[in-house]
């Protein structure tokens, strides 16, 4: 098997949205993301700490879905490595030369990964002006950067093995008494995750996590949605996660794409970092204060496209446990291989 590409981090997501003006209100006015470029087809947004062209692209389309998520790789040669790696896995693979794909992004490879998720690997991307200390421009939820993706997939052990083969570490898991794997949080950058794997029918994009610096910004975001009578955009929280220790609120954008405003997780880069394992019966695992998880959080997610923009078919989970206590860990138990 060829070497895996050296993934640096989760870098950007491209979402198909049905009403760009409504999306602009949510992502720019409410979340405070900065507009790097906009035209009648798309919005290119980034957080205040990000020095690259975009971390969120919103593309106007008739149906809301995930176009692709993207990982930045360390060198241009890693783009070639990605092409070889996924060709050997017999995944659909497409080379996207600079100038023919997403604005600002250089030479890239797009694949449908073994989980059925459309993923881009790129190295080159245009730079953006440094906004870190442009406090005069920081607004709304004051999003600093993209932090992670969360994917719904019916076979968590297989997904875990696939991401390990791509060189990802595992910061935390939720497991049953026999170490059945319910969920896993996996990283390349030294934080809790670049990607989380949630059990259930899939492939779906469960959410994207956007980092802000302080927990009061999470609370303020919820307050402003309430003040405007737009509280229906708040789905779950605010609260403190058990897994990751992050402070969070989950929002739904005008198309139902789920966004987590996320802060205060921790460093995982030491060479002897050990996976922290939560038992599925520990009520603090998902919300550290034991608050229940709302049904829509584990029943709804965004469909994903293939490389031609068609919706990917869905494989069901094998058990439905959403009505019993373990609910939020996904919809079934799968033993690791
Ligand atoms: C959890 C979910 C996330 C995350 C960290 C931890 C666990 C949970 O509360 O469900 O999306 O980023």
């Amino acid at each position: 098997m060829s070497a895996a590409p050296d993934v640096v981090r989760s870098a950007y997501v491209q979402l198909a949205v049905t009403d760009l003006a409504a999306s602009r209100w949510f992502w720019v006015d409410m979340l405070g993301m900065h507009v790097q470029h906009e035209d009648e087809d798309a919005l290119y947004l980034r957080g205040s700490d990000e020095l690259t062209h975009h971390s969120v692209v919103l593309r106007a389309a008739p149906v809301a879905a995930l176009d692709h998520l993207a990982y930045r790789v360390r060198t241009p040669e890693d783009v070639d490595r990605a092409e070889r790696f996924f060709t050997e896995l017999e995944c659909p693979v497409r080379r996207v030369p600079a100038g023919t794909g997403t604005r600002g992004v250089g030479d890239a490879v797009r694949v449908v990964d073994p989980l059925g998720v459309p993923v881009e690997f790129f190295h080159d991307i245009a730079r953006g002006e440094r906004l870190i200390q442009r406090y005069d421009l920081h607004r709304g939820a004051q999003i600093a950067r993209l932090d992670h993706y969360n994917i719904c997939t019916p076979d968590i052990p297989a997904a875990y093995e696939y991401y390990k083969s791509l060189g990802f570490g595992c910061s935390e898991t939720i497991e049953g008494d026999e170490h059945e794997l319910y969920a896993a949080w996996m990283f390349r950058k030294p934080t809790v995750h670049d990607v989380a794997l949630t059990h259930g029918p899939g492939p779906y994009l469960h959410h994207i996590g956007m980092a802000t610096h302080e927990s009061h910004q999470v609370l303020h975001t919820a307050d402003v949605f309430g003040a405007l009578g737009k509280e229906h955009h708040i789905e779950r929280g605010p609260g403190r996660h058990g897994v990751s220790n992050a402070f969070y609120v989950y929002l739904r954008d005008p198309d139902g794409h789920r966004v987590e405003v996320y802060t205060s997780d921790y460093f995982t880069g030491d060479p002897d970092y050990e996976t922290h394992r939560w038992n599925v019966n520990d009520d603090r695992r998902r919300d550290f204060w034991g608050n229940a998880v709302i049904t829509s959080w584990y029943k709804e997610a965004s469909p994903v496209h293939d490389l031609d923009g068609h919706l990917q078919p869905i494989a069901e989970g094998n058990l439905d446990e959403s009505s019993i206590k373990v609910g939020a860990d996904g919809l079934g138990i799968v033993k690791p291989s």
Side-chain angles (χ1 to χ4, degrees):
M1 186 75 203
S2 293
D6 185 351
V7 173
V8 176
R9 62 178 176 96
S10 48
Y12 85 91
V13 66
Q14 181 168 314
L15 300 172
V17 300
T18 60
D19 180 344
L20 270 184
S23 298
R24 198 182 200 289
W25 167 78
F26 180 89
W27 290 88
V28 178
D29 298 353
M30 298 300 285
L31 294 192
M33 294 197 72
H34 306 281
V35 180
Q36 185 68 13
H37 181 83
E38 72 185 306
D39 53 41
E40 60 197 23
D41 299 322
L43 274 168
Y44 300 78
L45 308 177
R46 66 191 171 105
S48 303
D49 286 9
E50 289 172 322
L51 300 169
T52 44
H53 185 267
H54 56 255
S55 59
V56 174
V57 178
L58 304 171
R59 182 183 68 86
V63 177
L66 170 71
D67 275 344
H68 55 265
L69 50 85
Y71 290 112
R72 191 166 194 190
V73 295
R74 195 161 304 279
T75 66
E77 292 71 42
D78 285 300
V79 177
D80 303 331
R81 285 192 189 98
E83 184 174 20
R84 284 195 295 273
F85 184 82
F86 287 95
T87 301
E88 284 180 27
L89 286 177
E90 299 183 359
C91 294
V93 175
R94 186 171 299 165
R95 197 86 196 196
V96 184
T100 65
T102 297
R103 185 185 189 90
V105 178
D107 187 32
V109 162
R110 289 188 189 158
V111 310
V112 175
D113 77 7
L115 314 184
V117 176
V119 181
E120 179 177 279
F121 295 85
F122 72 92
H123 172 72
D124 288 317
I125 184 166
R127 310 292 292 170
E129 180 200 346
R130 183 179 157 97
L131 299 177
I132 294 171
Q133 288 169 320
R134 288 296 308 272
Y135 289 109
D136 53 313
L137 301 180
H138 297 188
R139 307 241 193 281
Q142 302 190 17
I143 296 301
R145 58 179 176 79
L146 183 143
D147 186 78
H148 63 265
Y149 318 115
N150 186 310
I151 300 297
C152 300
T153 182
D155 188 342
I156 295 290
Y160 171 87
E161 292 300 334
Y162 155 62
Y163 264 106
K164 273 188 69 173
S165 75
L166 248 188
F168 282 59
C170 182
S171 60
E172 304 202 26
T173 60
I174 296 177
E175 301 181 6
D177 292 338
E178 309 295 321
H179 296 291
E180 316 91 302
L181 201 53
Y182 285 75
W185 282 259
M186 305 193 71
F187 65 92
R188 285 293 297 177
K189 70 176 159 33
T191 62
V192 169
H193 54 332
D194 288 286
V195 67
L197 306 168
T198 294
H199 185 260
Y204 282 115
L205 174 69
H206 186 275
H207 67 262
I208 58 172
M210 305 300 297
T212 191
H213 283 295
E214 313 270 357
S215 46
H216 72 77
Q217 287 152 343
V218 175
L219 291 172
H220 181 68
T221 303
D223 278 341
V224 176
F225 275 102
L228 295 175
K230 302 288 187 187
E231 68 285 354
H232 53 279
H233 287 279
I234 304 172
E235 185 185 37
R236 177 182 159 202
R240 166 85 60 197
H241 284 308
V243 172
S244 81
N245 192 47
F247 200 75
Y248 71 90
V249 64
Y250 292 95
L251 306 170
R252 304 295 290 273
D253 89 347
D255 284 293
H257 295 306
R258 185 180 288 105
V259 185
E260 178 179 25
V261 182
Y262 178 94
T263 190
S264 309
D265 64 353
Y266 58 92
F267 176 72
T268 56
D270 270 352
D272 56 355
Y273 178 84
E274 283 180 16
T275 304
H276 184 71
R277 300 173 190 280
W278 290 80
N279 186 279
V280 72
N281 297 306
D282 187 337
D283 280 338
R284 300 168 305 164
R285 68 200 185 281
R286 292 213 175 251
D287 183 284
F288 199 55
W289 309 327
N291 284 324
V293 176
I294 185 168
T295 306
S296 62
W297 190 86
Y298 52 87
K299 287 286 191 190
E300 296 173 13
S302 300
V304 310
H305 280 151
D306 65 15
L307 297 183
D308 295 313
H310 303 125
L311 291 180
Q312 283 278 82
I314 299 302
E316 294 299 319
N318 47 3
L319 292 168
D320 184 354
E321 296 195 7
S322 59
S323 59
I324 64 169
K325 213 164 173 237
V326 297
D329 297 310
L331 310 178
I333 303 174
V334 186
K335 297 237 184 213
S337 52

